[in-house]
Amino acid sequence: MKRLDRLSLGGLACLLVLVVFALGSLAGAGGDPDAIVGPRLRPPGPGWWLGTDNLGRSMLPRVMEGVGTTLLLSSIAVLVTAAVSATFGIIAGYRGGYLNELVMRLVEVLYSFPAIVLAILVAAVLGPGQVAALASIVLATIPLMTRLVRAAAVAVSQRDYVTSAVISGARLPRVLGRHVLPNVAGTIAVQGTYALSVGIAVEGGLSFLGFGVQPPQASLGVLIQRGGTYMIAAPWLILGPGVVLVVAILAINVVGDGLRDQLEPRETRSLT
């Protein structure tokens, strides 16, 4: 297996820094995000390195809390997406027939909705909050992952070792769990990284519109929405969480590209 290139390593380093930020928030390393530490709307300086908000709270611990909230929600949603997509994608790809048609038609219905529109519909039904954000991310990321896992399962199910396992009398759960799943795991891992970036974007957009995480809890979307009110007078309120959101999405996509090159190499290999 090749090493990750420098770009992928850089993206991984940025992602690790964000994870450390999130863990630091849980440990209280940045301070109390709800504590008033100075005057209102002060620019970055000693004592409040990312400035203060409209209530005089330091933006640094609030951004750290926002990173933790956004990453946690998106990660949980992607784990649920991976489990659901792997189950239905593998079964549909291996079994085929009416079951495959049913799964793919349901996936296409979800895929026909833009992610943010689907998220708003889910929030309208469930009501604003973290549950709506989780459900929105899951429904927005399931269609593509299910389609790709299903395509990989179709290719794997035609391999000789799968046919041999069936001929030898192996039951369906054993065939799927021991022979099909390990060989589509690379597709699941790669698509998981892309789903995580989509999840962060959906959570940010949904919270920005007021349908996701609700104040006083901070998320990147909430901080950007609140900072937008003071964009002219205090641009640092939107700059900090906005930059972190963009860096997080770019870093995850770069890491995903590196994983794809590792697990799904596209170049033709010589047999000699």
Side-chain angles (χ1 to χ4, degrees):
M1 181 179 292
K2 301 182 299 181
R3 293 182 178 180
L4 290 174
D5 56 31
R6 292 183 179 180
L7 187 60
S8 299
L9 290 174
L12 183 60
C14 291
L15 189 57
L16 291 176
V17 169
L18 293 177
V19 171
V20 170
F21 258 59
L23 295 177
S25 174
L26 295 177
D32 184 358
D34 296 321
I36 297 177
V37 298
R40 300 172 59 249
L41 303 178
R42 282 300 178 91
W48 39 80
W49 298 106
L50 293 180
T52 61
D53 65 5
N54 60 310
L55 297 178
R57 297 173 296 188
S58 175
M59 282 297 295
L60 178 59
R62 292 190 61 76
V63 170
M64 293 175 67
E65 182 187 15
V67 171
T69 301
T70 298
L71 286 180
L72 180 61
L73 284 176
S74 301
S75 299
I76 293 174
V78 168
L79 289 176
V80 174
T81 294
V84 173
S85 297
T87 301
F88 286 98
I90 289 174
I91 293 175
Y94 181 80
R95 298 291 291 184
Y98 73 92
L99 185 59
N100 173 66
E101 291 297 322
L102 176 62
V103 171
M104 295 312 298
R105 296 298 82 77
L106 291 175
V107 165
E108 288 172 0
V109 169
L110 292 176
Y111 200 64
S112 65
F113 288 92
I116 194 63
V117 173
L118 183 62
I120 293 174
L121 291 175
V122 172
V125 174
L126 298 179
Q130 294 187 10
V131 174
L134 281 171
S136 299
I137 295 171
V138 170
L139 291 178
T141 53
I142 274 181
L144 181 59
M145 187 180 292
T146 302
R147 292 177 67 177
L148 293 175
V149 171
R150 177 256 177 195
V154 169
V156 170
S157 64
Q158 299 172 355
R159 301 287 178 85
D160 291 340
Y161 55 81
V162 175
T163 304
S164 299
V166 174
I167 293 175
S168 66
R171 295 186 176 182
L172 179 62
R174 180 179 177 84
V175 173
L176 297 182
R178 185 165 184 175
H179 300 285
V180 179
L181 178 60
N183 290 283
V184 300
T187 299
I188 296 173
V190 172
Q191 292 306 312
T193 60
Y194 295 135
L196 183 59
S197 67
V198 171
I200 291 174
V202 169
E203 188 283 324
L206 199 61
S207 296
F208 178 82
L209 295 174
F211 295 107
V213 177
Q214 298 297 299
Q217 186 174 12
S219 76
L220 294 179
V222 169
L223 294 176
I224 292 172
Q225 189 270 339
R226 289 301 181 91
T229 306
Y230 303 93
M231 185 183 300
I232 303 300
W236 54 87
L237 294 184
I238 194 172
L239 185 61
V243 169
V244 172
L245 181 67
V246 172
V247 168
I249 293 174
L250 289 178
I252 292 170
N253 280 326
V254 166
V255 172
D257 287 340
L259 281 177
R260 182 193 60 196
D261 293 339
Q262 293 290 317
L263 300 175
E264 301 176 359
R266 290 167 291 178
E267 69 272 16
T268 302
R269 299 180 182 273
S270 175
L271 298 177
T272 58

